[in-house]
Amino acid sequence: MTADHKDKWYMLTLVGEDQPGIVAHVSAALYEGGCYLGETSMMRLGGNFTIMMMVRYAGTAHGLQEVVGGVAESLGLRLHIDPIQAHLHDHRLPDVRISVYGADRAGILAKVTGALAEAGLDILDLESDVAGTEEEPVYVMHIEGHAAEGIPALESALEIVRNEGIQATLQQVDTLIG
Amino acid sequence: MAVLEILQYPDPRLKQTSRPVERFDDALRRFVTDLEETMRAGPGGVGIAAPQVARFERIVIVDVSVKRGIRQHGRLVLINPEITEWEGMSTGREGCMSVPDYTGNVIRAERIRLAASDEFGERREYEMEGYEARAVQHEIDHLDGLLFLDRLVSKRHDLFRRKTYR
Ligand SMILES: [Zn+2]
């Protein structure tokens, strides 16, 4: 892959109703337009397909808009482009993984993440889902993060959350390098 | 003594199968010393396999004694290792000196029974579990041309698998 180091990085966001071939069509347009991909996240959220991609491109945001605009429109995707600073090869290692679940109710995410943030958790990755049934929804969340103030502080924070009927488990992530 | 150069993926040699050691001589023991020094020079390395330094023989070193409070055997030189029993499964996060700047979740056996020769050719048997068993499985994979990248599981559906039972 040849790319000029003066190339700029953009965060490209695409959201729309899920349909077959979205990823293939979007990535083909980017490839043919001379783009290079960094880290990406693509997933289906409740029937919508969401894409966030770090894209390296020689031209302007407007130029990139033209590279993907056509395919986005034909797939019914809303497109958003932001210039960003890229920090590749700078992964931070999670040292803790937290799973939370409970009857879904307003404020559960705010409550849990608020308590954890106060106890020094830097979130590196979070995803949550609503399981169960429409009548009795169950909220499920996974977090990977860095315990900036140590694991015991997070355990105390989770203890408070547990007293409110939310199930929470914490596992230390001990990365093996071999 | 020397710190050896570590092959990094996408070097195709990391994907080849290594051959058994036949001669347990001074040359082998000198190599084991260098391999160990190379492992200890890497940041946080708890294991290394000979093919990672371009010697395609079935030699592995593991030492997880830096981890406190776990069952482990200390420094292990495992030559022509063979896992004879596997039990249980667990998911853990792995990285590799041959794959910089990436870590991922891998499923390994929780407990293993293992036969291996030491650097003097004496055959020994080990039972190990948890972190140490994981390290040994990671290193033996290198002898068969496998990287942890070949065994990645999605972190997303790691613990709670979304299924509809009806
Ligand atoms: Zn490795």
Side-chain angles (χ1 to χ4, degrees):
Chain A
M1 180 69 60
T2 55
D4 194 315
H5 283 285
K6 288 193 293 280
D7 284 1
K8 292 180 274 304
W9 283 93
Y10 298 94
M11 188 65 78
L12 195 136
T13 311
L14 289 145
V15 181
E17 199 170 322
D18 193 15
Q19 57 179 294
I22 290 181
V23 175
H25 285 110
V26 169
S27 35
L30 290 169
Y31 172 67
E32 283 155 20
C35 298
Y36 172 90
L37 297 186
E39 297 171 27
T40 72
S41 156
M42 311 185 209
M43 70 186 90
R44 194 183 140 97
L45 297 177
N48 304 284
F49 203 75
T50 68
I51 299 179
M52 299 197 78
M53 287 177 160
M54 289 173 63
V55 175
R56 187 167 69 192
Y57 179 64
T60 60
H62 186 74
L64 183 57
Q65 175 93 33
E66 286 187 349
V67 167
V68 278
V71 69
E73 195 174 342
S74 72
L75 292 165
L77 301 170
R78 286 187 298 284
L79 168 65
H80 185 81
I81 296 171
D82 289 304
I84 53 163
Q85 295 292 316
H87 300 283
L88 287 173
H89 309 291
D90 184 25
H91 286 113
R92 290 180 58 195
L93 275 184
D95 54 12
V96 65
R97 182 188 300 141
I98 297 165
S99 304
V100 173
Y101 69 95
D104 194 22
R105 52 187 152 97
I108 186 169
L109 176 64
K111 186 156 287 178
V112 174
T113 54
L116 291 169
E118 215 161 291
L121 180 70
D122 299 331
I123 294 176
L124 300 174
D125 191 291
L126 183 151
E127 42 111 3
S128 66
D129 209 333
V130 185
T133 61
E134 216 159 297
E135 299 75 44
E136 285 193 279
V138 176
Y139 180 85
V140 185
M141 171 167 75
H142 290 290
I143 304 176
E144 284 188 348
H146 172 63
E149 291 166 28
I151 304 277
L154 295 180
E155 279 289 9
S156 317
L158 288 179
E159 202 48 53
I160 295 164
V161 167
R162 284 189 197 110
N163 290 337
E164 300 185 28
I166 300 167
Q167 310 298 312
T169 51
L170 180 152
Q171 277 182 292
Q172 213 161 331
V173 178
D174 206 353
T175 302
L176 182 149
I177 306 292
Chain B
M1 301 245 289
V3 172
L4 308 168
E5 191 187 334
I6 292 185
L7 299 185
Q8 293 190 336
Y9 190 78
D11 192 311
R13 290 175 291 175
L14 286 166
K15 300 298 294 171
Q16 79 185 57
T17 302
S18 293
R19 62 184 174 276
V21 170
E22 283 164 12
R23 292 164 58 97
F24 293 81
D25 54 11
D26 285 343
L28 173 72
R29 287 183 283 276
R30 271 195 300 278
F31 171 71
V32 166
T33 305
D34 288 346
L35 188 63
E36 183 171 354
E37 199 179 335
T38 306
M39 175 184 85
R40 298 197 188 283
V46 295
I48 193 168
Q52 288 181 279
V53 298
R55 178 150 165 161
F56 302 97
E57 290 189 274
R58 303 186 77 80
I59 305 166
V60 156
I61 301 176
V62 165
D63 185 349
V64 300
S65 57
V66 292
K67 304 285 169 194
R68 295 284 153 213
I70 60 169
R71 283 185 59 184
Q72 44 94 9
H73 293 81
R75 170 189 179 274
L76 287 172
V77 176
L78 305 171
I79 298 176
N80 302 337
E82 278 173 71
I83 298 176
T84 54
E85 280 178 41
W86 291 259
E87 202 193 317
M89 283 199 295
S90 70
T91 304
R93 202 170 188 96
E94 299 183 20
C96 181
M97 290 187 280
S98 297
V99 185
D101 195 45
Y102 190 80
T103 62
N105 291 332
V106 179
I107 296 174
R108 302 284 188 189
E110 176 61 23
R111 279 172 296 282
I112 56 173
R113 186 186 285 270
L114 174 80
S117 303
D118 65 14
E119 61 265 60
F120 301 96
E122 190 177 330
R123 204 72 183 158
R124 295 165 181 268
E125 283 209 34
Y126 304 90
E127 275 179 51
M128 49 184 70
E129 63 179 40
Y131 194 82
E132 184 176 52
R134 173 172 297 274
V136 166
Q137 291 170 81
H138 177 116
E139 300 312 334
I140 290 179
D141 265 357
H142 278 298
L143 305 180
D144 295 320
L146 289 170
L147 300 171
F148 78 98
L149 299 177
D150 293 300
R151 298 192 187 275
L152 285 179
V153 293
S154 156
K155 69 183 167 204
R156 202 158 288 285
H157 297 110
D158 181 7
L159 300 171
F160 295 85
R161 234 168 264 268
R162 187 178 175 144
K163 273 187 191 153
T164 311
Y165 303 93
R166 65 171 70 130

